[in-house]
Amino acid sequence: MSQEIQLTPQFFSSVDHAVELGKKISMITYVMGDIGEAKLKYILYRILSSLGREDLMELFYTAAKELIVNSTKAAIKRIIFEELKLNIQNLKDYEEGMRFFKSSLNERKFPSYKKKMRESGLYVKITCIYKKDKIDLEIRNNFPLLPVEAERVKEKFINAKKYDNLFEFFMEHGDSTEGAGMGITMVEILLSQSGFDRRLLSIYSSERKKETVARVEVHLSGLPKSAETQEQLFIE
């Protein structure tokens, strides 16, 4: 039997107080473990409970975890390129590094990069902004997308539209889901199955601000609101 995660009274008190005041809540992770997941779950539960929308717990918790994994991979990729002494901006080096990255890295190896992420100053920041009729979930990296990454993200958004449920996706990709856009596809399908427009998932990247932000914006009032634009990837 797995040991139950015990969070501190101070953590519960801080989250409860923030939710009572309607303040946005953020947490920073390097490689999210069991304690981080427990904290994320409690934060989302308290926010959704305060809005009377506990029914959206699976949507937001799963979306957050998928997008956090994507963001963690992006950070670890940059560390691996540094270790291999490859120029991530050079297309030939990028292709060589990605072959190693895809063949050698899986989520079981993530924890070994936690210290390296701290030392490199790379992190993943999760932020929840909420009011009575809207919830925004943001997953942020402190670096922009590379042009080749932006193209890949654009492809993933297009590819995700082919699937109405995860069963279809797994049937087509089998066990080779690594790098197949699983995170984006899962979040879009969860949005759709929860009655929302799948385009409420977007990704924003800024060279000027040195950041990449994956954002899920869900409107709670009245009928589910469609996104105002067809675009889901924004590059600044």
Side-chain angles (χ1 to χ4, degrees):
M1 182 181 296
S2 60
Q3 187 176 357
E4 185 176 351
I5 301 298
Q6 296 291 335
L7 301 177
T8 66
Q10 290 86 349
F11 171 78
F12 291 125
S13 176
S14 296
V15 174
D16 293 348
H17 185 59
V19 171
E20 287 169 9
L21 297 177
K23 289 186 175 182
K24 73 177 182 180
I25 300 177
S26 296
M27 61 181 285
I28 287 177
T29 184
Y30 296 91
V31 173
M32 182 168 279
D34 292 341
I35 293 176
E37 289 188 10
K39 287 182 176 180
L40 173 64
K41 187 175 289 187
Y42 185 75
I43 290 168
L44 291 173
Y45 174 75
R46 283 293 287 114
I47 289 171
L48 293 170
S49 295
S50 74
L51 300 172
R53 294 306 305 264
E54 296 95 326
D55 58 304
L56 296 178
M57 185 66 188
E58 181 183 1
L59 166 62
F60 276 99
Y61 182 62
T62 305
K65 285 188 63 177
E66 289 295 322
L67 296 172
I68 288 167
V69 167
N70 281 3
S71 295
T72 302
K73 282 182 182 177
I76 292 174
K77 179 201 297 186
R78 282 154 174 79
I79 293 171
I80 287 175
F81 271 75
E82 285 288 330
E83 291 177 338
L84 295 175
K85 294 183 169 37
L86 293 172
N87 180 2
I88 200 168
Q89 302 281 352
N90 178 279
L91 186 57
K92 183 178 178 182
D93 279 5
Y94 184 81
E95 290 173 353
E96 181 183 341
M98 285 304 295
R99 282 194 292 272
F100 178 84
F101 178 75
K102 290 178 179 179
S103 65
S104 66
L105 185 71
N106 57 53
E107 289 183 41
R108 290 189 300 276
K109 294 184 180 179
F110 278 18
S112 65
Y113 284 90
K114 187 170 187 175
K115 182 180 178 184
K116 293 177 181 179
M117 281 183 66
R118 285 181 182 272
E119 292 171 346
S120 300
L122 302 176
Y123 59 79
V124 178
K125 184 176 183 180
I126 305 105
T127 301
C128 298
I129 306 166
Y130 53 97
K131 49 190 177 180
K132 65 179 181 179
D133 60 348
K134 189 169 181 275
I135 305 174
D136 290 354
L137 170 69
E138 296 180 351
I139 311 297
R140 187 181 312 265
N141 281 127
N142 57 338
F143 50 80
L145 291 172
L146 300 166
V148 66
E149 290 175 322
E151 284 301 314
R152 184 74 180 112
V153 168
K154 190 182 297 184
E155 291 172 9
K156 288 179 180 181
F157 274 127
I158 293 170
N159 193 54
K161 303 296 181 291
K162 300 189 319 192
Y163 306 100
D164 293 321
N165 58 68
L166 290 175
F167 178 74
E168 292 178 2
F169 182 82
F170 283 121
M171 285 297 291
E172 181 166 327
H173 292 277
D175 293 331
S176 60
T177 55
E178 184 72 24
M182 185 64 202
I184 286 174
T185 303
M186 178 173 280
V187 176
E188 285 205 8
I189 289 172
L190 284 170
L191 280 165
S192 179
Q193 292 181 341
S194 298
F196 299 104
D197 193 305
R198 357 181 12 138
R199 290 170 294 163
L200 296 178
L201 166 65
S202 62
I203 293 177
Y204 162 83
S205 175
S206 171
E207 180 68 38
R208 178 176 59 85
K209 294 182 180 179
K210 303 298 181 189
E211 67 177 14
T212 302
V213 185
R215 183 178 290 119
V216 178
E217 301 178 78
V218 170
H219 301 261
L220 303 174
S221 57
L223 293 173
K225 184 178 177 182
S226 296
E228 295 177 357
T229 174
Q230 295 284 339
E231 294 297 322
Q232 288 176 273
L233 175 64
F234 303 89
I235 306 294
E236 179 183 88

